[in-house]
Each structure stands twice: as C-alpha cells, then as structure tokens.
Amino acid sequence: MKQHPSRKESAASSVASRVPDPRRFEASKRVLLVDAFMNRFIKVGGIGVVVAVIGIFVFIVSQVVPMFQSAKVDLSDTIGLGEVLPEGDYVAIAADEWGERPLALRADGRFFTADLGAGGKVTEIDFQFLDGDTISTVSAMPGSGVITVGTAGGKVHLVDYEYEASFSGGKRSVAETLAKGYTGDFGGPVKRVAFGQSGAARLVAGLAAGAEGDLLTVNLIERKRSLVGSGTWRETASIDLTKSLRPGVPVNSLLVSNRADTLIVVFANGEVDYHFRSGTSTEFELRQTFRPFAELTNPTIASAGFLFGDVSLVFVSPTGENLVYSLFRTEEEPVRIFHPTKDFASLGGKAGAAYFTKSLRNKAFLIGSGKMVSLRHATTEKVRWEGELPFAVRHALIGAKYDSLLFLGDDRRFHRFALDDPHPEVSVRALFGKVWYEGSPEPKYEWQSTGGSDDFEPKLSLIPLIFGTLKGTFYALLFAMPIALFGAIYTSEFLHPWNKVYVKPVMEIMASLPSVVLGFLAALWLAPILEQRVPSILCIVFLLPVASFVIGWLWSRQPQSIRKHVPAGREFLYFLPALLGILVAGWHLGPFLEKVVFTVPDAEGGRVGDFTRWWPAITGTAYEQRNSLVVGFVMGFAVIPIIFTIAEDSLSNVPGSLRSGSLALGASRWQTAWRVVLPTASAGIFSALMIGLGRAVGETMIVVMATGNTPIMDWNIFSGMRTLSANIAVELPEAPHHGTLYRTLFLGAVALFVMTFAVNTVAEVLRQHLRERYKTV
C-alpha cells in the first residue's frame, strides 16, 4: 500500500525547497576577471593622467630654465688665434660679421689682417691713404663699415671697409676691400674724431688744434640717390661749434650717433654736452649739459659710448662706476634729453674702463681695462659675464652675431672666444619687475615683443599679461556668477519639475558652443552694438534686477486666494512678459539717458549726447570698441553653463528630508533655500565657482577676438587687455624656435599652470572646510 507523506513532512519539504542556494551569490569567473581588469585599468589610467600632467609641466619648465642661465665664455678654448702682428702701435681694429678675418690699423697707416679660419695667418693689405701724413687719432665704430682717421696735418680720412663672402667646395672664404671714402681739412692737427651715418647722410666731427685754441667742426657729407644708383659723397655743410667749448678744459672724446643728428662732447672735467640737429638742418642746438659722475670725488669720465640704437649712452668712471643715460622727455620738458636710467655694479675699484664696445644685436656692451673684461646688458642691468684674460687687452669687439668676443692683446695677437649667451635680455626683474626701458620717463611693466627696427629693445614683462588674465576673469565672473547661481537656486528650489526637464539640457547645450564662434560674434556683432548702446545696457542692468525683486516682493504679499490660481513653480510664466517689457523699455530709454546725462560740448558750442566721448572726458581713460564689457558678456556666457550645471546638481542632491523638516517648522521656501539648502550645498557650489574660474582663466579665442589684445594695466571696463593664453596664441607662431620670445611664452604657460594649480588647491581646501562645517546640518 502506497504511503503518503504527512502534512508536517510536506511542509518541511516545501521549506527546504525554498532555501536559497548559497552558490547564487558567487560571481562567475568572467565577472571576476572583468572586475579585476577594470580596477587595474582605472588605477593605471589615474596614474597615467598624473604622470601626463607632471610630464607636461616638466617639459614646459625645461623650455624655460635655459633663459635664466648666465653667459658662458670658455677662456681655455680659443676658437680663433692669430699669428703675431708685426711690431708697432695698433690704433684700431675691425672685423667681418663672422669674426673670421679681423683687420688692424697700425699707427703708421698700414693695415694687417689675420685669417682666423686658416690658422691665423697674418698678411698686410695693400692700401695707402695717409700721403706722408701721420695718424693723431682714430675712431672705429663697430658695424659702421668706416674707420675715421685724424692726422697731425689737419686732415680727417674716412676709410671704408667691406667684407664679401664666397663659397667654394662647401667652404666659406671671406675677403676684405678697403677704399678711401672722404678727406676733409679741419684746419689744424686733429685731436679727436667721431663719425656717424644714416642712409644718405654722414656726419664727421673733429676737434683740431688751432692757432688761438681748439676748433670743433662738424662736416655733413651727403650723396644723392637716383634710379641708376647712388652718387658720390659730397661735403654739403661745415658747422663750427667752437663757441661751445670750455676755455682751458680739454675734450676727452667725441661721439656721433648713427642717425647723424647727435653730437656728444665729453670734457676732461666730467661734463657732457648734447648737441642735436633736426631733420635736414645744418645747425646744431645745444640741448643739454650734464655731469654723470658729479657726486664722485673724481667726476671725470674714463670711457663713453652709444648703445645699439643710439638712444642710450654708457659712461664709466676712472674708479669703475658704470652708468647708463637714456633719451626721453618728461611732461615738463619740451624735447628729449638724457636722464640717468641704469646704475651697474662697479668694476670693483679697479682701473676705469680703458675700452668700450657695443653689441650689434642687442643692448649688451663690453668694458674693461688691462686683463679685466666685463660683459653687461643695459635692459636687465645685469653683468652677464666677467673675468680676467691671460693677456692685457688693447682693443675689443663683440661678434656681429653676438656669438663671440674678439680681442687684440698686448701680445699683438687676435684672440677670439666663443660666447654662449642666447637670452641676455632676460632676468627675473625684466620678467616680473619694473624696468626702465629706453624712451620711457619711468620704470614700468610692459610687454612688447617686437618692433619696427633692428635696434628695438624687447619688453617682456609678464605682469601686464597676468593682470589682463585676472581682469578678464573678474569681469566674466562678475557677469556670470550672479546669473548662474541665482538661476541654479531657482531651478533647483522653485521651478516646476516639468519645466526643469527642459531648462537643464538647454544650459548644458550652451556649454557646447565653440569659443571661437562666441569670439567671432563678440567681435563682429556684439561689440559694434554695445559701442552705441552703453547707456541702454546701464538702464537694463539697473532696471531688470530691481524689477525682478519688486515683482517677487509684491507677489509674496498677495493673499493665498490669489496665489492659489498660479501653480507653484510656474510663476515665471506670468512674470516673464513684464520682465521682457522692462528690458525693451530699458533698451529704448538708453538714448534718452545719453542725451540728458552723458553730454559733451559740440563744435557749435552746444551739448550733444555721446557716451564714447563723455567717458574719456570724465575719467581720463580710453573708450575702445573691443573692451572688457564685451569680454565680460561673452566669456560670462561661456562660463554660465558650467557654474549653473554643477551648482544645480549640488543643490538638487541635498536630502529632501532637510527641506521637509524646514518647511514643517514653518519656514518659507525662500528661507529654506537660503538657510538650509544653500549652506548644505556650499561645498559643491564653491567647486562650481572654481571650475568656472578655471574656465575663464584659460579662455583663449574669445579674448583674442574680442579685446583688441592690448597688454595694458588698467581696470577700466571700456579698455581691452591681453591675457596669458591669448598672448601664447598670438605670439607663438612668430616666435623663433628656442629663442627668447619662444621660451618666454613657455614661461607664460608655466604661470598659467601655477595659477590654475594654486586656485584648485585653495578651492579644495576651502571645499573640505565647508563640507566639514555643514555636514551635520
């Protein structure tokens, strides 16, 4: 007979069948492998990102570090050593642009050259010009192509020299050519000479011994150009400046600028006369008399000379003090005169400079006496290199390419040393401090990387660029931050959920707009409109917020019987027409306000409304079409979506129980949002602001296209600026690889990197502080 299980047995069996199988919680091997792979992949990816960022930073820094290296001159490695020149007193030297074939003039008028590229072989040049006379004084200005020779017979000769390179079998050979260019009679034994030329004009100054005293004469030599070429040099004027001399005070030296308009007379008592000739005039005006070392016990001048560009003068005292005077005009002075601008370190109490020579590439110059040599740069006011040579120096030259130093020693041999100084115009002070540039009446921060002439002085201060970055960021956040934050609060706390579904995606789409498109619209569409409608913008900026607060206040005072007809979160649909009407009214009210308030005198003696003229007249600052107001609007438009999205997410993630508790205790929705939700989400909101700040700091295309890119330091909202990122975009295509400008732009990138890192670090510290403070709310 078949046995049926009892009811208890059936129940026990049913329970046993429902007991879960423990193996169902075990993950498959495939899931475990994928999980393990993803864990390692994410770790490796994170480490890779960190390594990449560090690598980028290291690369950028590696491009910057070489800028701050000092000049290097290896005295143990002579790249050119000439044979011993014949016996005699050598009074001047000159060299080709490669420094391979220097020539020397001996006191008897004979020229010798040394081929430093072929073992330094010395040969005499077959050239005579003295005609039995004897040399009494010589001036050889580097790079002029002319050696000026004064003689005891009262003559001044201009000896033109020229080098020509030829190539054969892949090797370069250099040959010199000498020619007698001009001879003038100065009426007595010549004591001092000076020469300068500019285009078709040459200026020769000579101090000669006359029967009743010294004679100072300046001869103007010109040649006319025609379609068939240049004519011959002819003396067109002889200017007598003898009356400007001091009786009984000898003249130590004469200097003539390469613009052929300036004559400097250096007297034995330390006084300096500055004579100037305007344009094509044949008359000199004594513009200034000054004494550079008037405060010293011995105020005399050991050596003096023009820097490259002939705007600055270098003076060295007998005790080694070194000053630079530059031409500029102050508000009280009608013309440019010389003022002290640079004070270099002394040569160390040793003998004053016996020689001076300038660079033909930059504002560097070389001074020294005996074996002591000092290479200095006027812009940075730094000693680039200083040392003692194994021989005493008679004459010195800086290579035309600023890549070598050439000396004629007391051993009558040419010595050429390699010079490695690729960035002489760079120093910490030049990049981040105030520098007294040529032509400027005071030290200042300035960025101007290029100029219209070879003698331009690069101005590479990063301070105007950092200022422009902060200025653009400030005005962008001034516009974006209130709109984004109040918009996020309203969307999160007051807007109806159905409308929120559309608002959030629209804001995120705004963030995807290319910045180049925004910059294009700002420059070509918005800027011209705002230029004519600033009063309208002022009306809107005032009326719209005031109207919004008034409407909100009035609505909150309405009885419940009226407010119940408008669904919560849909109030804006009823207020929007009124706000649009106020916006249109403010736009049309602007021209009326301009005619009433922002008026300036017109040509007929009346008043006319013109804000673009009123602003400069009242504030003394410029009004430019592409200005910070335009950048604030457009860059703020690009930043708003970022701040809004992150802030709204932070507000929405506040637990609903906090809102419910606040409302249950009798707080209004606004009180709940302001005192409960906002503090709780403050860490996230602060992160949103910092990310928006980082977006504004690094913005490039909007700033490039909408600001005018003027690197000025002015908080004026109606002037432009240039930011670090925009400067990199504008300058880098024209920067020579590994040149000073190239590396300075990388330094700007380092500054951006450091600024971003500092902002992020501070933001994270404050975010953690806010998080800890409000975590118990």
Side-chain angles (χ1 to χ4, degrees):
M1 185 175 181
K2 188 175 181 181
Q3 296 289 332
H4 293 280
S6 65
R7 182 174 297 178
K8 290 183 177 181
E9 292 175 347
S10 299
S13 175
S14 176
V15 171
S17 65
R18 291 199 301 270
V19 174
D21 187 355
R23 290 177 298 176
R24 73 187 183 92
F25 295 105
E26 296 179 0
S28 66
K29 291 184 177 179
R30 181 174 177 274
V31 172
L32 292 175
L33 288 175
V34 172
D35 184 64
F37 171 77
M38 293 307 298
N39 283 336
R40 288 174 173 79
F41 182 78
I42 292 173
K43 289 180 181 178
V44 172
I47 294 172
V49 170
V50 173
V51 171
V53 172
I54 294 175
I56 293 172
F57 181 74
V58 170
F59 171 75
I60 295 175
V61 172
S62 70
Q63 300 300 307
V64 173
V65 169
M67 277 202 309
F68 299 97
Q69 297 178 354
S70 300
K72 298 178 181 177
V73 179
D74 188 358
L75 299 180
S76 63
D77 183 16
T78 305
I79 59 175
L81 179 62
E83 294 179 350
V84 178
L85 295 172
E87 288 281 352
D89 181 19
Y90 290 87
V91 293
I93 64 172
D96 57 285
E97 63 176 300
W98 302 278
E100 296 177 354
R101 198 172 174 86
L103 60 86
L105 171 62
R106 203 165 62 178
D108 59 0
R110 299 167 66 183
F111 285 91
F112 297 87
T113 182
D115 191 349
L116 302 184
K121 183 180 179 181
V122 173
T123 55
E124 182 177 354
I125 302 174
D126 185 13
F127 178 77
Q128 299 292 331
F129 68 97
L130 287 180
D131 299 328
D133 208 343
T134 58
I135 295 176
S136 57
T137 183
V138 177
S139 174
M141 182 182 296
S144 65
V146 175
I147 297 177
T148 310
V149 180
T151 67
K155 304 291 185 180
V156 172
H157 303 277
L158 299 186
V159 179
D160 296 322
Y161 63 90
E162 184 178 2
Y163 287 93
E164 183 176 354
S166 59
F167 294 86
S168 178
K171 294 183 178 180
R172 178 180 62 227
S173 59
V174 180
E176 68 284 334
T177 302
L178 299 180
K180 192 173 180 179
Y182 160 83
T183 299
D185 191 346
F186 279 70
V190 180
K191 295 181 174 182
R192 300 286 184 267
V193 290
F195 169 84
Q197 65 178 0
S198 175
R202 286 180 166 182
L203 212 61
V204 181
L207 180 75
E212 299 180 358
D214 290 343
L215 306 173
L216 179 58
T217 308
V218 180
N219 289 348
L220 178 62
I221 308 165
E222 297 177 302
R223 66 179 177 184
K224 295 183 178 180
R225 296 181 181 273
S226 63
L227 295 177
V228 296
S230 301
T232 58
W233 292 102
R234 298 181 183 276
E235 182 179 315
T236 59
S238 182
I239 307 162
D240 185 9
L241 297 178
T242 303
K243 292 182 179 180
S244 66
L245 299 178
R246 277 79 158 155
V249 181
V251 172
N252 274 3
S253 61
L254 301 176
L255 301 172
V256 175
S257 72
N258 268 333
R259 297 188 304 272
D261 60 1
T262 300
L263 170 66
I264 302 295
V265 182
V266 180
F267 292 93
N269 63 356
E271 289 186 345
V272 179
D273 279 357
Y274 164 39
H275 300 265
F276 183 77
R277 179 179 70 95
S278 300
T280 58
S281 172
T282 58
E283 297 295 329
F284 273 91
E285 170 195 359
L286 177 58
R287 284 192 170 180
Q288 182 187 13
T289 297
F290 60 100
R291 181 176 287 183
F293 301 110
E295 297 180 356
L296 298 182
T297 304
N298 180 7
T300 59
I301 297 172
S303 63
F306 278 108
L307 282 177
F308 184 48
D310 298 330
V311 178
S312 297
L313 282 170
V314 178
F315 297 103
V316 185
S317 74
T319 54
E321 280 72 19
N322 183 197
L323 300 177
V324 174
Y325 275 62
S326 297
L327 281 173
F328 61 82
R329 184 177 68 86
T330 63
E331 295 181 356
E332 297 79 17
E333 296 164 347
V335 295
R336 296 198 308 171
I337 60 175
F338 285 97
H339 298 267
T341 57
K342 306 291 172 63
D343 186 357
F344 282 86
S346 173
L347 285 174
K350 302 178 182 180
Y355 57 86
F356 164 88
T357 186
K358 65 182 180 181
S359 168
L360 301 178
R361 282 289 182 97
N362 49 49
K363 304 299 179 180
F365 59 95
L366 190 71
I367 58 176
S369 177
K371 297 182 178 181
M372 182 68 182
V373 181
S374 183
L375 178 66
R376 305 177 173 208
H377 196 276
T379 301
T380 60
E381 203 172 341
K382 294 291 184 181
V383 177
R384 301 299 301 170
W385 174 82
E386 197 168 85
E388 286 197 6
L389 301 176
F391 52 86
V393 178
R394 296 292 305 277
H395 300 282
L397 287 175
I398 299 176
K401 299 179 181 293
Y402 195 67
D403 59 353
S404 63
L405 300 179
L406 179 67
F407 301 99
L408 177 61
D410 58 356
D411 56 358
R412 304 196 314 279
R413 303 180 73 177
F414 281 108
H415 302 261
R416 182 167 173 254
F417 300 99
L419 169 63
D420 181 18
D421 190 18
H423 311 291
E425 53 276 294
V426 172
S427 68
V428 174
R429 179 182 176 187
L431 294 169
F432 299 103
K434 287 187 176 182
V435 176
W436 207 328
Y437 296 106
E438 288 184 340
S440 173
E442 60 183 359
K444 59 182 178 179
Y445 304 110
E446 187 172 356
W447 173 276
Q448 188 180 358
S449 60
T450 56
S453 61
D454 291 337
D455 58 9
F456 170 75
E457 184 178 27
K459 304 169 180 64
L460 302 176
S461 175
L462 294 182
I463 299 300
L465 307 179
I466 296 174
F467 180 90
T469 302
L470 297 177
K471 178 182 177 181
T473 302
F474 171 77
Y475 284 116
L477 291 181
L478 186 66
F479 172 73
M481 189 168 62
I483 296 176
L485 289 184
F486 282 115
I489 293 173
Y490 181 80
T491 302
S492 172
E493 303 303 315
F494 302 99
L495 190 63
H496 196 281
W498 289 2
N499 300 111
K500 188 187 300 185
V501 172
Y502 300 102
V503 172
K504 191 79 177 294
V506 169
M507 295 298 293
E508 292 173 350
I509 290 173
M510 283 176 56
S512 66
L513 290 176
S515 60
V516 65
V517 175
L518 296 177
F520 178 79
L521 293 174
L524 300 183
W525 174 71
L526 184 61
I529 293 176
L530 292 183
E531 182 182 20
Q532 304 300 325
R533 287 289 191 168
V534 173
S536 298
I537 297 299
L538 295 177
C539 290
I540 292 172
V541 168
F542 174 76
L543 292 177
L544 205 57
V546 171
S548 300
F549 280 110
V550 170
I551 291 174
W553 182 80
L554 291 175
W555 177 252
S556 66
R557 293 297 183 270
Q558 300 304 310
Q560 189 63 30
S561 59
I562 296 177
R563 296 172 60 185
K564 69 180 182 180
H565 297 291
V566 179
R570 297 288 180 85
E571 297 89 350
F572 77 95
L573 294 175
Y574 297 88
F575 303 153
L576 192 59
L579 294 177
L580 290 176
I582 292 172
L583 189 148
V584 172
W587 183 259
H588 290 286
L589 184 62
F592 173 76
L593 182 67
E594 185 175 35
K595 292 179 181 179
V596 173
V597 179
F598 306 116
T599 61
V600 293
D602 60 8
E604 299 178 357
R607 306 286 295 184
V608 61
D610 189 345
F611 185 87
T612 59
R613 293 169 56 195
W614 176 86
W615 178 262
I618 295 298
T619 64
T621 57
Y623 182 95
E624 301 172 4
Q625 184 189 77
R626 299 184 183 185
N627 51 48
S628 303
L629 181 65
V630 178
V631 173
F633 283 157
V634 180
M635 195 153 70
F637 185 83
V639 173
I640 284 174
I642 297 173
I643 299 178
F644 173 88
T645 301
I646 300 175
E648 199 277 334
D649 287 341
S650 300
L651 292 166
S652 298
N653 288 331
V654 173
S657 59
L658 294 178
R659 294 184 179 88
S660 300
S662 175
L663 295 172
L665 292 172
S668 65
R669 286 195 298 165
W670 174 249
Q671 289 173 327
T672 300
W674 185 255
R675 297 184 180 180
V676 176
V677 177
L678 195 61
T680 306
S682 59
I685 293 174
F686 187 76
S687 297
L689 293 177
M690 290 301 102
I691 293 175
L693 176 65
R695 171 72 168 83
V697 167
E699 177 55 48
T700 303
M701 294 310 301
I702 293 176
V703 182
V704 167
M705 303 177 73
T707 65
N709 283 307
T710 50
I712 58 177
M713 298 181 65
D714 185 3
W715 283 110
N716 176 20
I717 193 173
F718 297 111
S719 66
M721 85 284 285
R722 179 181 286 193
T723 65
L724 286 166
S725 57
N727 189 64
I728 294 172
V730 171
E731 300 272 6
L732 192 58
E734 305 297 329
H737 189 245
H738 287 169
T740 301
L741 176 59
Y742 175 88
R743 297 191 187 279
T744 305
L745 295 177
F746 271 92
L747 181 61
V750 172
L752 268 178
F753 200 106
V754 171
M755 290 172 61
T756 305
F757 179 79
V759 168
N760 289 339
T761 302
V762 173
E764 181 61 21
V765 172
L766 292 178
R767 189 183 73 84
Q768 292 294 338
H769 172 73
L770 292 172
R771 191 172 184 177
E772 289 295 323
R773 180 177 179 180
Y774 294 109
K775 68 179 181 180
T776 58
V777 174

